[in-house]
Amino acid sequence: MATSWGSVSFGCLRGVVGRLKPRRLSARRGRCVSLAVFLVWMFSLNQLLLRPILSVNEDVVLSEEPVRETAPREWRWQLVPGRELAVYAAYLDYGEEPSSAKQVLVTAVLNMTETRPLYCHFVSDHSLPRSVTTVGPISSRFLGHSYPEHGKTVLLRCPISNGTSSPVAVRLSGQAEGPPSGGDEQWVAVSSVPDKTLKAVWCLGPLYDRYDEVQILVEQLEWAKLQGIGEVIAYVDSVAPQVMAVLRHYEKEGLVRVIDWNIAHLVNRDVYYLGQLGLLNDCVYRNKHRAQYVFLHDVDERLIVPHQLHVMDQIESIFKAPSTAAAVVRSAFYRRAPKGSRILMHSRMKSSFYPHGVRSKVIVRPRFIDATDVHDVDAVSVGYQRVAVGESELFLAHFRFETIDIGYSGDELLPDYVDVMSPLVAAKMELLAPSAPMNTT
């Protein structure tokens, strides 16, 4: 007699809850295994059919491993002996002139249980033997939440004494005496005076889990060009090869800079939420004397001024008070469907905005930010303030993939954007093809 999948499913369920007798459970075990295999196969087929069709350049090698970038040589990791600490990068902080340098700002990963004092060791030139200056113990600021067994991103401040030359490299240790003066394996270069200044920088990331949304990335980068953003810094954990090809294309254009942010791999330890807070603060430090404004939002989010195409004039207005160091921008969900389609051509807005501090994001004047959080700033310089921006001035559209259209209004997102962005994205996708996936929707 034929057996239906429904009866097999019901039999498996009864077996799980223990209502079948042993001999009948044994007889149905093979059918249960078959059912499990069938369900896994159906799920895999469904996932495959939902993915956009890709057209890949023969020069782009697809592999099972995600693409991981190598950290730039000038920012060497320093694994501090005897400490659960890894130093990522160091930046010179100064007042009006570089000669007035007051401290070195360091981004690092530290074990939550590490509480022993740390000392900074400076060198002011690359000649050997080196003359080492030591300061400390230094102050530290932990960022966000974590678990005791995880690494946690931390901000460290190494003060520079009056009359001391600006350091070119820094090293941390647990000893007050200076480290050996020979060799440079354990020294981290101090990023100093930028060669140019930019109006705005957008820090993007982390891009992780083999991120593969090529068309959304292209549209967002074209939006950045349209807004006059000077540079997009892409912090990469792991991306699909097609995405890396797109990033490299824009890097050659001078718009994108790729930064390795696979910190868990580099320190061989889990780091809470891929060190997102460390990334945001690294971006602020990196651009402290390089950019007037820094945008801190994700690849699936976009700044919107109601009924206007461009955002920079409104941002200038929001920051017109000299004491304004940060603007906190409210966000609302926008539905995009199907997955892989152009987000503005298939978007409808959710009916409500989240309050400030909940899913909001920030725009900062990095020079006056001491530390930032994901949804608000953590600390601004003395004499400066943050402002909460109303959605009638500026808001953040957060695009989410949802198959069911529930809880969304019929409001369209700025039709003018479609008219402007559509030809820009189409032209870029045609230029990138076949090195990047083309969306057929």
Side-chain angles (χ1 to χ4, degrees), residues 35-55:
L35 175 62
V37 171
F38 173 76
L39 292 176
V40 170
W41 177 80
M42 286 295 293
F43 176 79
S44 301
L45 179 63
N46 180 60
Q47 293 297 103
L48 178 63
L49 292 176
L50 284 176
R51 296 177 65 85
I53 298 175
L54 304 184
S55 176

Side-chain angles (χ1 to χ4, degrees), residues 54-62 241-242 245 431-437:
L54 304 184
S55 176
V56 183
N57 191 319
E58 294 178 355
D59 294 334
V60 179
V61 179
L62 289 174
Q242 298 90 346
L431 177 65
L432 289 169
S435 64

Side-chain angles (χ1 to χ4, degrees), residues 175-198:
Q175 293 80 35
E177 63 274 11
S181 59
D184 62 351
E185 307 80 44
Q186 294 295 315
W187 291 92
V188 175
V190 177
S191 180
S192 56
V193 184
D195 55 358
K196 63 178 180 179
T197 56
L198 302 170

Side-chain angles (χ1 to χ4, degrees), residues 217-293:
L217 179 62
V218 168
E219 184 174 350
Q220 292 291 62
L221 294 176
E222 289 299 313
W223 173 85
K225 290 167 63 175
L226 183 68
Q227 301 301 330
I229 293 175
E231 185 175 73
V232 179
I233 302 179
Y235 287 80
V236 172
D237 177 72
S238 73
V239 298
Q242 298 90 346
V243 166
M244 184 54 68
V246 171
L247 292 173
R248 291 305 187 198
H249 171 83
Y250 281 97
E251 194 171 46
K252 291 179 180 178
E253 285 191 352
L255 176 66
V256 167
R257 183 178 186 183
V258 177
I259 299 294
D260 172 56
W261 195 253
N262 185 232
I263 57 177
H265 171 74
L266 291 171
V267 301
N268 195 28
R269 172 184 289 274
D270 288 335
V271 180
Y272 183 74
Y273 207 69
L274 301 175
Q276 183 185 24
L277 283 170
L279 179 159
L280 297 174
N281 284 275
D282 180 84
C283 175
V284 171
Y285 285 3
R286 185 183 301 273
N287 294 286
K288 209 168 186 59
H289 301 282
R290 184 170 175 263
Q292 184 175 352
Y293 302 109

Side-chain angles (χ1 to χ4, degrees), residues 6-55:
S7 63
V8 173
S9 303
F10 181 68
C12 289
L13 180 62
R14 291 185 62 192
V16 169
V17 298
R19 295 180 61 185
L20 286 178
K21 295 180 180 180
R23 68 177 183 274
R24 297 183 64 187
L25 178 60
S26 176
R28 294 184 183 269
R29 183 171 297 140
R31 294 174 182 170
C32 292
V33 172
S34 299
L35 175 62
V37 171
F38 173 76
L39 292 176
V40 170
W41 177 80
M42 286 295 293
F43 176 79
S44 301
L45 179 63
N46 180 60
Q47 293 297 103
L48 178 63
L49 292 176
L50 284 176
R51 296 177 65 85
I53 298 175
L54 304 184
S55 176

Side-chain angles (χ1 to χ4, degrees), residues 326-330 356-357 360-363 375-377 386-390:
V328 185
V329 183
R330 297 179 71 180
H356 293 100
S360 56
K361 294 297 172 67
V362 296
I363 305 168
H375 303 297
D376 205 336
V377 289
R386 59 176 282 283
V387 296
V389 180

Side-chain angles (χ1 to χ4, degrees), residues 146 154 251 260 275 290 319 333 354 376 380:
S146 188
V154 61
E251 194 171 46
D260 172 56
R290 184 170 175 263
F319 282 88
F333 284 155
Y354 286 90
D376 205 336
V380 299

